[in-house]
Amino acid sequence: MNPSRLPAIPDKAGGDLTAGRRGFLKWSSAALVGALAFGGKLPGLSLDQAFAQSPGGAAMAKAVDLGEGDVGILNYAYALEQLEAAFYSQVIKTPYANMASADRDILTGIRDHEIAHREFFKAALKKNAIPGLDVDFSKVDFNDRSSVLTTAMTFEDLGVAAYNGAGQMLEKGEYLLLAGKIVSVEARHAAAIGYLMRTGTGASNATTGSGSNNASVVNEKGLDQALMPSDVLSKAGPFVKTPITADDIG
Amino acid sequence: MTDNHSILAEVDPDVAERMLSRRGAFRDAATKLGVLATAPMVVAAASTAAFGQGAKLPRKIVDVLNFALTLEYLEDEFYRTALASSGLIPSETRQTFETIGKHEAAHVELLKGALGSHAAKKPTFDFTAKGAFGDVFSNYKTFLALSQAFEDTGVRAYKGQAGNLMGSDEILTIALQIHSVEARHAAEVRLIRGQPAWIVSNSRGDMPAATQPIYDGEADFTQGGADIKDLGGLPVDALSGAFDEPLSKGKVLAIAKMFIKA
C-alpha cells in the first residue's frame, strides 16, 4: 500500500486518541471499520497503528483504508464476508468428528454463499477493495460441534445486525438493494444454524428440538438487531488479526 | 441461543456517545436514555420515536407501510387461526409457530402504530384460496406449505420496498429489521418441511404449482450490474442462493390476493 494514500488523522480522531488507551482497547483489533460510524475518513486499522507509531508514523505499510461513503460501507461488508468465508472454509476443511450429513449440507451451503459474497464484494470494489484480512480462530475448537455452531451463530447474527444497521448509511439505492439481497440470506443462515443447534448431533429429525429460538435475538417488537459498525466490530474483533495489532498497547 | 448475551453486551459508553452524534434521532434517543445507554438500546429507542408519527409520514412511506401491514395482517391471522386449530400443529413445533406468530402480531402492532389513522383496514382472508388449499387448517402439511409461501413472499416484498424508504432512515431500519426476521421464519419453516433453508435457483421445490410466482425471478445471475456466473468457481445454485431477490409490489399483491376475499 502506498503510504501517501493514507489520509491524515482528522482532528476528531485526535480527540479520540486523547481519550486514552482504554477507549482503544474497546475497539479491539478489528477497529478498521469502526471509523465508519462517524462518517469520517479515518483510516480504520491504521488508527491502532497511528496510535502506536505516531509521531513518527513511518511504518504504515499494511494499514487498511476502507474508503469513504458507500465504498466504505461496502468494504465493511466485505470485511465481514471475508471473516465468514474464512470461518466456514475452515469448518469444512477440518470437520468436527462424526459430522452428520445434515450438518455438512448446511455448513457447506453456507460456506459457498459466504465465498460468493466475499468474491462479489471483491470484484465490485475493484481497486477500492481492502486487502484480505488475517483472521484469528484460535478460540474456536473446530473439532467440537458446539464450538463451531456457536461461533457460526455469532457470525450470522452479527452479519444480519451489521447489514440492518448499515442500510440507512448507503447513499445509492442499488447498494441498498444489494445489501437487502444478502442480509436475508444471512438471516436464513442464522435460522439454519439455530435449527442444527436444536436438532442434536446432526439428527435429521426436525422435531427433537424443543426450543423456540428460531430468532432469539429478535426483540419483543418482532425486530431483528440493527447495529452500528462500531458495535459490530467490537464483536468481530476477537476473530480478526490485523496487520498491526493492539497488543503493544494492551 | 447461546450468544444472546455477547450480542447484546454493553458497549463502551464513550463509543456509543460518539456513534450517536451521527444522526439527530439517535442523539435525541440518547438524551432520553442517558449516557449509560447501550448502543442497541439507543437504536431501538430512536426507532420507536420515529414510529409514533403517522400523521407526518409522506404519502410514499404510508403506501409502503400499508402494503407491509396488509402482508402482516395476513400472516398474523394465518398463524392465529392455525394455532387455534386443535390437532393441527404438533407439540414439537408448536413453540416455533407460537414465536413466529408473536412476531407477526408485533409487526402488525408496530405498523399500525406507525401509520396511526392512515393504517389500512384488515382485509377478510380466505386461506383456502377459494378451496385450492381447503385443508389448510386441518392438514399440517398444507399449513406448512402456506407458511413457507407467506414467509418467502414476505422476504421478497420487504426487500422490494427498501429503496422507497431511503431518506427515512429510522423507518428504513425498522423495515430491514422486519425483513430479516421474515427471512429467519422462512428458513425455519423450510427446514421443518425438509427443504433447504434458502431458495435454490427459482425452484419452488415440493411446493404446490400455485406458489411458483413466489419463486420466479430468484435465479438472478446479474448482481450490481455484473455477471456473477463465474464468481469464485462456485456452483450456480450456490451463486443464486447467495442472493435473495426482491419482488415488486404488484407481483406480491397478485400473490396475496389469492388469499384475500374480494
Side-chain angles (χ1 to χ4, degrees), chain A residues 89-126:
Chain A
S89 293
Q90 189 64 45
V91 169
I92 298 303
K93 196 175 166 190
T94 55
Y96 45 77
N98 304 315
M99 183 184 277
S101 62
D103 290 31
R104 188 183 297 271
D105 287 351
I106 285 177
L107 293 168
T108 304
I110 296 177
R111 177 200 63 180
D112 288 351
H113 291 166
E114 306 300 9
I115 291 174
H117 295 161
R118 181 190 69 195
E119 294 304 308
F120 170 76
F121 281 117
K122 186 180 182 181
L125 282 157
K126 296 189 179 73

Side-chain angles (χ1 to χ4, degrees), chain A residues 117 198 210 216 222 225 231, chain B residues 1 7 11 95 107 184 188 242:
Chain A
H117 295 161
R198 291 197 308 289
S210 60
S216 71
Q225 293 235 286
D231 213 13
Chain B
M1 191 86 34
I7 295 293
V11 297
Q95 206 175 347
H107 296 164
R184 288 174 187 268
E188 182 82 16

Side-chain angles (χ1 to χ4, degrees), chain A residues 12 16 22-23 26-27 37-38 106 109-110 112-113 115-117 119-120 123 150 153-154 157-158 160 163-164 167-174 176-178 180-185 187-192 195 197-198 206-207 209-228 230-231 234-235, chain B residues 1-4 6-9 11-15 18-19 21-23 26 39-40 43 48 92 95-96 99-100 103 106-107 110 152 155 159 162-163 166 169 172-174 176-181 183-188 190-192 197-199 220 222-225 228 231-232 234-235 237-239 241-246:
Chain A
K12 198 173 176 184
D16 291 343
R22 184 176 150 273
K26 291 286 184 185
W27 281 71
F38 316 114
I106 285 177
I110 296 177
D112 288 351
H113 291 166
I115 291 174
H117 295 161
E119 294 304 308
F120 170 76
T150 300
M153 184 58 89
T154 299
D157 282 341
L158 196 57
V160 170
Y163 280 104
N164 281 349
Q168 56 146 329
M169 298 176 178
L170 289 165
E171 302 294 335
K172 277 187 75 173
E174 183 187 7
L176 175 62
L177 178 57
L178 266 170
K181 290 177 178 212
I182 292 173
V183 66
S184 57
V185 174
R188 290 175 188 272
H189 293 169
Y195 180 85
M197 291 172 94
R198 291 197 308 289
T207 63
S210 60
S212 64
N213 54 347
N214 53 53
S216 71
V217 297
V218 176
N219 70 17
E220 74 282 357
K221 288 182 177 167
L223 299 179
D224 219 317
Q225 293 235 286
L227 296 177
M228 301 298 268
S230 57
D231 213 13
S234 71
K235 310 297 185 200
Chain B
M1 191 86 34
T2 51
D3 276 276
N4 217 9
S6 68
I7 295 293
L8 291 168
V11 297
D12 186 329
D14 292 346
V15 174
R18 281 177 285 150
M19 183 187 114
S21 64
R22 198 173 168 277
R23 300 276 179 183
F26 289 108
V43 172
T48 305
E92 292 82 0
Q95 206 175 347
T96 293
T99 302
I100 292 175
H103 293 161
H107 296 164
L110 192 63
D152 275 338
V155 176
K159 200 186 319 294
M166 286 189 87
D169 290 352
L172 169 62
T173 301
I174 294 262
L176 292 173
Q177 289 174 281
I178 296 177
H179 168 247
S180 58
V181 170
R184 288 174 187 268
H185 294 170
E188 182 82 16
R190 294 175 68 97
L191 288 165
I192 288 171
W198 43 81
I199 297 167
D220 190 345
T222 303
Q223 299 297 347
I228 62 161
L231 201 63
L234 293 163
D237 282 352
L239 291 169
F243 298 88
D244 274 344
E245 299 303 321

Side-chain angles (χ1 to χ4, degrees), chain A residues 61-75:
Chain A
K62 295 180 98 176
V64 170
D65 179 12
L66 288 174
E68 297 178 68
D70 283 359
V71 165
I73 301 293
L74 296 180
N75 265 325

